[in-house]
Amino acid sequence: MISIKSINSMEDKNTITGTPVSRIDGILKVTGKADYSTDHPIKNPAYAVIFKSTIAAGKITDIDTSLAEKSPGVLSVITHKNAPKLNTKGGIRGGAMLQSPDIYFYGQHIGVVVAETFEQARHAAHLVQVKYEKKEGKLDFEKLAEDAVLPKDKEKADAKRGDAKKALEIADVKVEEIYSTPIEHHHPMEPHATIAEWQGENVILYNSSQIVNGAQSAAAATLNLKPENVRIVSPYIGGGFGSKGGQWGNLVLAAVAAKMVNRPVKLALTRQQMFNSVGLRQRNLQKVSLAATKDGKLTALAHEITTHAAMQDEFVEPCGDCSKIMYDSPNSLITYRVVAMNLILPTYTRGPGKSTGSFALESAMDELAFKLKMDPIEFRLKNEPERDPSNGKPWSSRTTVQCLKEGAKAFGWEKRKAEPGQNQQGNYLVGYGVSCGTYPAHQRPSSANVKLKRDGNNVTATIELAAADLGTGTYTILAQTAADALDLPINKINVKIGDSDFPPAAGSVGSVGATSYANVVNDACIKVTDELIARSGKQFFVRPTAAKLMISENVSEFQTRADSKELEGAENYSSHSFNANFAEVWVDISTGMVKVERFLAVTGAGKILNPKTARSQIIGGNTWGIGMALTEESLIDPRWGNFATRSLADYHVPSNLDIGTMEAIFIREEDKAGNKLGVKGIGEVGIVGVAAAIANAVFNATGKRVRQLPITPDKLL
Amino acid sequence: MRPFKYTNAKNISSATKLLEGNVKAKFLAGGTNLLDLMKEDVEQPDELIDITRLDLAQIKIITAGANSGGISIGGLGRNTETANHPIIRQNYPLLTQAILAGASGQIRNMATNGGNLLQRTRCSYFYDVNMPCNKRQPGSGCGAMEGINRMHAIFGWSEKCVAVYPSDMSVALSALNAAVTVRNAGGQERSIAFSDFHRLPENKPEQDTNLNPGEIITAIEIPKNNFAAHSYYLKVRDRASYAFALVSVAAALELNSNKIVQARIALGGVAHKPWRALKAEKMLVGKEATEANFKMAADAEMADARPLEHNKFKVELGNRSIVRALQMAFNSGRS
Ligand SMILES: Cc1cc2nc3c(=O)[nH]c(=O)nc-3n(C[C@H](O)[C@H](O)[C@H](O)COP(=O)(O)OP(=O)(O)OC[C@H]3O[C@@H](n4cnc5c(N)ncnc54)[C@H](O)[C@@H]3O)c2cc1C
């Protein structure tokens, strides 16, 4: 059951922004008319199927494609022996582009079969015979963790304030524990898929891309083309969660295949292939040490992270970010150590670093509150920082206190029993848990066209920018924004996005999409009106709308382009979205099965452009957080380096029955330090803290502290 | 998927003859298991004999023979229709519960009763053709034995195979002493007791059942019983629905006030076949239906468990689940 109880961000009188407009692309989607990447109608396509290495480290000594080539319908079999030379430093992530016989991870792409049908291609892929020279792989994280070293990434250098180790030594009360989070996979509903179509020297790539311009530049550089020779078309995206932010080998292999067979090619990954093709959320071991005085004032906060990256490349998710800014402690230490493994390159995964880091930090906060015999909300309030502790900057706005207080009231926190194991209902133990979360808020450079058209007295506007809609509601909020800025009804606005032929825009990544897109569209609409006023040469007492000017000045077509970036002075503030999460869990006493009966997220994320799509973002993030807490885990067999969890029957995302009552409340605020509209972004913050709230609730229910996700029944017996 | 020939069977006799005539042929029922395995290249039939149009879907009360008064469910009846049939709901609710605890609504709509019984293990080493697996490729070794074996067997496994059999429906059928009716190409019918239908792996893990080549499952018979008021199917899994069992228990009691006249307990998710807890059953007969007695029976049964590296928890979980399922059965499904 899902209840709708969202509070609008502001009293937006007479504006359509801020109101719960249903998705303008909703009908297209539910009627199957939205053409996702490979749905795009294309004449005479061939089908490509990738095949993969079955060792984790070593090299291919022989690859025999003769049987596959003779198989019915096969047009071409591409391997490192006949693939064209590509630029492997062009920005495609994870290697695996058939450029050498070397193998760095199990399931690395080693070839592509192109055939008349998908079935023929898949069958022929089984007929390829590969011989390897196998090397011992680095596959056992538990053992390798001891050899982890300082990352190359400067952002991950040791960050010290005061002397946390010393403060821990002399502390009244402390917690020092290791929290473990498993490898997770993004598994968007739509697997990564591409149609590549060459037109002379130009290639069109219909491809699911969270960053349209990023996909364009990476594909161009890798294929040794100029960006203008590559067009990315990505009008609809069936989810991405970070895995479609950077682009992976499959994108350029589609282009290579299309070139080699001289025909458009469709290449879609299978669900099984998704496990080792498009990144993953890395395994993290996080030691969190907290010290406090007897009355609950933090004196030390240390967060020491050990994780893994790939053999050829490094990616370390910023698990220490929440610990940097959430609480006021005079002594702080954040460190990262990383070890290379024969595994696909980890990558951005919803709430990168914050969702995993907050599990460690917010669990430890709960553990320390318990030791202090303090209510965990009160404990957090007591350590609320006035300024960003990591850099001393003032907050552009910080809503943690409101989120906690309003949430406690709405959730009925007072019913929580402080002692664990005290609330039994039949065969269940019931517990309440709380946590906080945060995610940075930024506007990124973006440009947009607004094109006005008049037909008699009917004025319509078309908005164009290379933005992405991951299924989040970008189309809708941009139509709302333009409708208000132009003072036109929303049905007169035509939003066109997801095409690199449009003005360049930020990606729908890192929670910058809504802020960057809405602000540039707003700017473009104001600019077009300004330009129409200037063009009229008249002076107005009351600012006329663009539509009125088009009519009164008898203009039939008019357009402009705006280029926007974060407001000047934004860098003087620390800008973040904040939340507080409340979970009620029921734990089956005999079987250890956990049900999240109620979940409430209270979020302060600036101006909420559309409470309906915003709420979907939050409860979507919460739902993945429930998966992170209870069910999701990818397991490697260290003997081979393959994933033993290899389909959605083994990798458990929550089912409908796992989700109880979900409620989202937004704090009324506008934060205009960084952008004119006062928007902060909500894509990531919805998952941050969720796992900790649930683990804390499980502790409150049972007295068992689970520090190793996911909390499956066996861990509660 | 390898190319294959598709044949539409006209009647039972032609279906079985076709199968007998081609060792590489397979019956196609709902296809929900077979087609997945073909896409993975695990199953490699060169011919599919579609049997879905055969007249084998009826559910009817048995009027003669050893199981007279019991019920016969057709081999090609769909799981959804079987679970929701009024007689099954009323007289064999354990079967209804077990079927509905499996898969998803969409899959149950396609899945047939015969296909359900013959579904293959979900062991990921079996599913991945690049891994060793004696069941898929005899002699290649068992990937799970020293691999990731959290989901695997704690009873009855052999050095050759530690896979578990995944069907929920079969766990209930095992507890209800069902029998499987099969027919061969010569038209001869035989009845196989449920406990003899599935096999333990022993030295031949590639063979899941004692079905002979060319035989078709025509029906499943369940004898009449007095369990309807006190039966319960408990399924413990990693999420609330749409996951295979870590452990499941089909429990049924026949009571004379609080005294146990007959007890049936079968476990799923613990062995290569539904695991009848015969020791526990025997201990309960004639005893009072108390938690202490349930616990004693569970302890006795689970004492024989032989867990692997990652599934030690199944011993305790199995123990608790037996107690819980018996309690639920005793309380007529109310906790
Ligand atoms: C995602 C997913 C989740 C699932 N979860 C569960 C679960 O939680 N619990 C559970 O119990 N099951 C589960 N299942 C399995 C499901 O129950 C089986 O796939 C289904 O019952 C098989 O029936 P079918 O008719 O589709 O068989 P098919 O796939 O058509 O056939 C299976 C096998 O049986 C043979 N066969 C079929 N009918 C006959 C017959 N009459 N005589 C002789 N041979 C025959 C076929 O040749 C084939 O070898 C799940 C399946 C999927 C895909």
Side-chain angles (χ1 to χ4, degrees):
Chain A
M1 214 263 294
I2 286 173
S3 78
I4 298 196
K5 194 164 144 199
S6 308
I7 298 169
N8 189 3
S9 63
M10 279 283 143
E11 304 292 329
D12 293 311
K13 296 250 162 48
N14 301 322
T15 66
I16 189 156
T17 310
T19 64
V21 175
S22 293
R23 274 156 218 254
I24 59 175
D25 48 340
I27 301 277
L28 282 180
K29 287 184 172 172
V30 297
T31 55
K33 286 187 185 135
D35 49 348
Y36 291 84
S37 50
T38 43
D39 297 341
H40 186 84
I42 200 106
K43 273 210 192 97
N44 193 30
Y47 293 82
V49 167
I50 283 176
F51 53 94
K52 289 167 159 289
S53 74
T54 55
I55 63 164
K59 82 190 320 166
I60 299 171
T61 52
D62 186 36
I63 189 158
D64 180 358
T65 55
S66 54
L67 273 180
E69 276 157 25
K70 277 183 229 129
S71 185
V74 171
L75 301 167
S76 177
V77 181
I78 308 163
T79 69
H80 68 278
K81 293 207 282 197
N82 60 345
K85 182 116 190 60
L86 302 176
N87 169 12
T88 55
K89 303 261 177 283
I92 291 291
R93 299 177 80 78
M97 293 180 283
L98 317 186
Q99 295 301 297
S100 88
D102 298 325
I103 302 296
Y104 297 99
F105 60 93
Y106 192 104
Q108 180 178 322
H109 306 331
I110 55 169
V112 184
V113 178
V114 194
E116 294 289 344
T117 71
F118 169 73
E119 287 76 11
Q120 289 172 330
R122 183 170 58 186
H123 172 55
H126 284 301
L127 303 177
V128 177
Q129 319 262 323
V130 190
K131 289 205 181 91
Y132 300 99
E133 184 186 303
K134 200 173 161 180
K135 279 200 296 200
E136 186 152 357
K138 294 186 185 244
L139 293 165
D140 195 333
F141 177 66
E142 241 72 88
K143 288 189 190 134
L144 293 165
E146 294 159 19
D147 304 329
V149 297
L150 194 69
K152 291 179 212 115
D153 178 3
K154 298 258 177 325
E155 302 257 302
K156 307 290 179 337
D158 293 1
K160 286 185 197 175
R161 254 188 311 111
D163 189 343
K165 298 263 151 162
K166 179 129 179 265
L168 278 158
E169 266 166 37
I170 58 167
D172 289 349
V173 192
K174 67 180 165 186
V175 165
E176 284 177 290
E177 295 292 352
I178 290 174
Y179 302 86
S180 160
T181 55
I183 290 177
E184 287 182 66
H185 280 90
H186 310 78
H187 281 312
M189 188 94 85
E190 178 204 29
H192 293 52
T194 312
I195 302 175
E197 183 183 23
W198 287 87
Q199 294 173 347
E201 283 310 291
N202 299 325
V203 64
I204 306 181
L205 298 165
Y206 300 90
N207 178 71
S208 226
S209 322
Q210 283 178 245
I211 314 176
V212 173
N213 300 106
Q216 181 189 29
S217 54
T222 307
L223 294 165
N224 300 306
L225 298 172
K226 296 197 182 91
E228 56 268 29
N229 294 123
V230 176
R231 180 173 164 209
I232 301 287
V233 181
S234 177
Y236 303 104
I237 305 171
F241 310 114
S243 66
K244 295 173 182 168
Q247 290 295 325
W248 303 83
N250 57 298
L251 172 66
V252 288
L253 291 180
V256 164
K259 186 101 195 179
M260 288 183 72
V261 300
N262 201 16
R263 249 167 93 170
V265 160
K266 290 192 181 193
L267 192 164
L269 297 177
T270 64
R271 183 61 66 189
Q272 285 84 350
Q273 290 180 337
M274 294 282 287
F275 282 88
N276 41 30
S277 299
V278 293
L280 44 77
R281 192 201 292 282
Q282 54 213 118
R283 170 104 199 268
N284 296 294
L285 287 177
Q286 305 178 62
K287 182 175 180 199
V288 176
S289 313
L290 300 176
T293 59
K294 283 196 197 80
D295 61 348
K297 186 75 203 64
L298 279 177
T299 56
L301 192 171
H303 194 155
E304 296 158 283
I305 297 131
T306 308
T307 189
H308 57 89
M311 295 310 289
Q312 287 178 295
D313 222 339
E314 181 184 285
F315 174 87
V316 177
E317 63 167 354
C319 293
D321 276 6
C322 290
S323 293
K324 267 189 188 164
I325 70 162
M326 278 311 292
Y327 302 109
D328 199 15
S329 165
N331 302 295
S332 153
L333 172 68
I334 292 162
T335 65
Y336 294 88
R337 297 293 179 267
V338 63
V339 63
M341 280 179 73
N342 288 100
L343 263 187
I344 191 164
L345 181 66
T347 195
Y348 304 96
T349 309
R350 199 171 198 175
K354 281 71 162 181
S355 43
T356 36
S358 63
F359 166 64
L361 173 66
E362 295 295 305
S363 294
M365 287 294 284
D366 201 68
E367 296 204 46
L368 191 52
F370 183 72
K371 277 195 177 171
L372 288 162
K373 295 194 171 31
M374 271 178 91
D375 180 277
I377 293 182
E378 195 192 318
F379 178 47
R380 286 176 173 81
L381 294 177
K382 188 138 195 176
N383 290 288
E384 174 71 6
E386 291 243 329
R387 287 167 168 260
D388 182 335
S390 71
N391 55 23
K393 288 180 187 175
W395 306 108
S396 61
S397 72
R398 174 161 164 134
T399 52
T400 303
V401 172
Q402 275 164 287
C403 289
L404 282 168
K405 287 186 173 167
E406 287 203 21
K409 219 186 300 157
F411 198 70
W413 184 254
E414 76 283 353
K415 292 200 287 280
R416 173 181 180 269
K417 306 239 189 309
E419 265 311 301
Q422 298 304 303
N423 187 356
Q424 184 169 350
Q425 308 286 334
N427 285 320
Y428 299 91
L429 286 166
V430 179
Y432 285 21
V434 69
S435 73
C436 288
T438 181
Y439 202 85
H442 289 291
Q443 180 181 349
R444 294 285 179 231
S446 295
S447 304
N449 289 334
V450 53
K451 295 179 168 173
L452 300 173
K453 218 174 176 171
R454 185 182 59 81
D455 183 3
N457 283 344
N458 181 26
V459 177
T460 55
T462 299
I463 305 295
E464 293 175 347
L465 68 164
D469 188 330
L470 282 162
T472 51
T474 304
Y475 281 101
T476 311
I477 58 161
L478 296 188
Q480 289 173 278
T481 304
D484 281 339
L486 294 169
D487 206 4
L488 276 175
I490 192 166
N491 61 4
K492 304 278 182 198
I493 311 287
N494 181 14
V495 179
K496 290 187 171 175
I497 60 172
D499 192 327
S500 60
D501 276 358
F502 298 145
S508 187
V509 292
S511 294
V512 302
T515 311
S516 309
Y517 306 153
N519 275 288
V520 71
V521 166
N522 183 56
D523 289 348
C525 294
I526 291 169
K527 191 172 167 204
V528 84
T529 312
D530 289 346
E531 287 179 9
L532 278 167
I533 291 171
R535 183 183 183 280
S536 77
K538 295 177 187 153
Q539 299 244 310
F540 298 92
F541 281 119
V542 178
R543 182 177 164 91
T545 65
K548 284 205 184 107
L549 286 162
M550 294 284 286
I551 297 165
S552 65
E553 300 301 312
N554 207 18
V555 187
S556 54
E557 283 186 17
F558 194 79
Q559 73 174 71
T560 195
R561 163 174 161 153
D563 309 286
S564 306
K565 56 183 196 323
E566 201 153 59
L567 293 178
E568 242 161 77
E571 64 282 2
N572 298 329
Y573 294 93
S574 182
S575 291
H576 304 263
S577 295
F578 293 95
N579 72 8
N581 303 288
F582 295 81
E584 177 184 323
V585 302
W586 288 52
V587 182
D588 188 310
I589 292 169
S590 336
T591 67
M593 284 178 75
V594 178
K595 169 94 205 252
V596 180
E597 195 64 31
R598 291 196 295 141
F599 196 89
L600 165 67
V602 188
T603 311
K607 180 185 172 83
I608 299 304
L609 295 165
N610 180 329
K612 193 169 183 178
T613 54
R615 179 181 165 283
S616 295
Q617 279 294 288
I618 296 296
I619 64 170
N622 296 164
T623 300
W624 195 1
I626 291 172
M628 178 178 174
L630 300 181
T631 60
E632 293 182 43
E633 176 172 30
S634 293
L635 290 170
I636 300 163
D637 188 325
R639 293 171 299 170
W640 291 284
N642 60 312
F643 282 105
T645 40
R646 51 185 300 284
S647 77
L648 290 182
D650 313 309
Y651 184 87
H652 292 136
V653 300
S655 67
N656 273 319
L657 206 56
D658 289 292
I659 304 302
T661 304
M662 307 288 282
E663 201 178 315
I665 294 176
F666 293 105
I667 300 295
R668 290 157 190 257
E669 66 159 343
E670 286 185 0
D671 184 338
K672 295 192 171 171
N675 69 89
K676 285 185 211 152
L677 294 178
V679 181
K680 274 182 162 180
I682 43 174
E684 327 266 347
V685 75
I687 191 175
V688 182
V690 177
I694 291 165
N696 295 343
V698 167
F699 175 76
N700 182 243
T702 64
K704 289 204 178 87
R705 175 64 63 180
V706 182
R707 301 187 186 92
Q708 184 172 7
L709 295 182
I711 309 172
T712 43
D714 44 309
K715 294 185 183 143
L716 294 175
L717 294 179
Chain B
M1 191 183 279
R2 288 165 196 253
F4 60 89
K5 182 173 160 203
Y6 172 86
T7 318
N8 206 344
K10 300 268 170 318
N11 51 48
I12 301 173
S13 145
S14 74
T16 46
K17 284 196 178 114
L18 281 165
L19 191 69
E20 199 187 36
N22 179 3
V23 286
K24 292 187 81 183
K26 287 219 158 244
F27 287 145
L28 174 69
T32 59
N33 191 223
L34 182 57
L35 295 185
D36 274 2
L37 290 166
M38 287 169 68
K39 290 182 203 167
E40 300 266 15
D41 214 29
V42 174
E43 298 274 16
Q44 305 174 347
D46 68 0
E47 179 178 8
L48 289 186
I49 303 158
D50 187 339
I51 54 173
T52 51
R53 288 169 190 82
L54 302 185
D55 184 21
L56 285 173
Q58 311 86 345
I59 295 180
K60 52 189 184 219
I61 292 177
I62 304 166
T63 51
N67 289 332
S68 184
I71 193 137
S72 164
I73 59 179
L76 283 159
R78 303 281 172 175
N79 277 182
T80 299
E81 279 150 30
T82 307
N84 291 320
H85 193 280
I87 301 176
I88 305 278
R89 276 203 175 264
Q90 194 173 342
N91 296 342
Y92 308 93
L94 185 62
L95 182 60
T96 299
Q97 287 181 31
I99 293 175
L100 297 182
S104 67
Q106 292 93 328
I107 292 171
R108 294 192 300 265
N109 289 342
M110 288 299 289
T112 64
N113 298 325
N116 190 314
L117 263 49
L118 293 176
Q119 63 174 291
R120 309 211 65 191
T121 183
R122 293 279 159 175
C123 172
S124 72
Y125 299 89
F126 171 73
Y127 256 84
D128 187 340
V129 293
N130 299 307
M131 291 289 126
C133 172
N134 288 323
K135 184 183 278 298
R136 177 170 32 76
Q137 201 184 339
S140 62
C142 173
M145 175 74 78
E146 281 167 6
I148 291 174
N149 48 35
R150 177 172 177 268
M151 298 297 292
H152 290 71
I154 56 171
F155 288 114
W157 50 266
S158 71
E159 293 302 318
K160 293 262 154 89
C161 179
V162 295
V164 294
Y165 169 63
S167 164
D168 289 298
M169 179 182 188
S170 292
V171 181
L173 290 172
S174 164
L176 296 174
N177 276 354
V180 185
T181 311
V182 304
R183 193 183 298 180
N184 68 12
Q188 283 136 334
E189 263 194 1
R190 63 181 182 124
S191 173
I192 311 172
F194 210 83
S195 53
D196 296 331
F197 186 76
H198 296 96
R199 296 180 65 255
L200 288 177
E202 298 170 343
N203 270 326
K204 255 175 122 186
E206 68 275 20
Q207 193 185 333
D208 292 348
T209 69
N210 287 318
L211 201 66
N212 290 328
E215 281 179 330
I216 188 169
I217 298 176
T218 54
I220 299 155
E221 293 194 347
I222 311 173
K224 197 172 173 206
N225 66 53
N226 294 318
F227 296 127
H230 297 287
S231 62
Y232 191 75
Y233 188 71
L234 175 72
K235 184 174 179 184
V236 185
R237 42 189 148 176
D238 283 328
R239 63 181 165 193
S241 123
Y242 208 21
F244 290 94
L246 294 168
V247 168
S248 70
V249 182
L253 296 170
E254 185 183 333
L255 299 168
N256 183 353
S257 69
N258 267 2
K259 216 184 213 134
I260 299 169
V261 179
Q262 236 196 121
R264 298 276 178 77
I265 305 165
L267 307 183
V270 295
H272 197 259
K273 61 187 279 190
W275 191 257
R276 267 295 280 276
L278 294 172
K279 235 187 205 173
E281 288 178 12
K282 222 177 265 160
M283 287 184 80
L284 288 172
V285 175
K287 302 255 167 52
E288 292 286 313
T290 63
E291 185 173 342
N293 284 333
F294 295 159
K295 178 84 176 96
M296 191 180 63
D299 286 345
E301 190 65 40
M302 299 312 291
D304 297 339
R306 287 186 300 144
L308 304 163
E309 188 185 349
H310 301 127
N311 67 6
K312 300 196 171 67
F313 72 94
K314 282 192 180 182
V315 182
E316 174 65 16
L317 184 59
N319 189 311
R320 293 177 181 209
S321 298
I322 291 173
V323 175
R324 177 69 164 279
L326 287 167
Q327 281 173 328
M328 295 295 283
F330 177 68
N331 294 330
S332 309
R334 285 180 296 272
S335 54

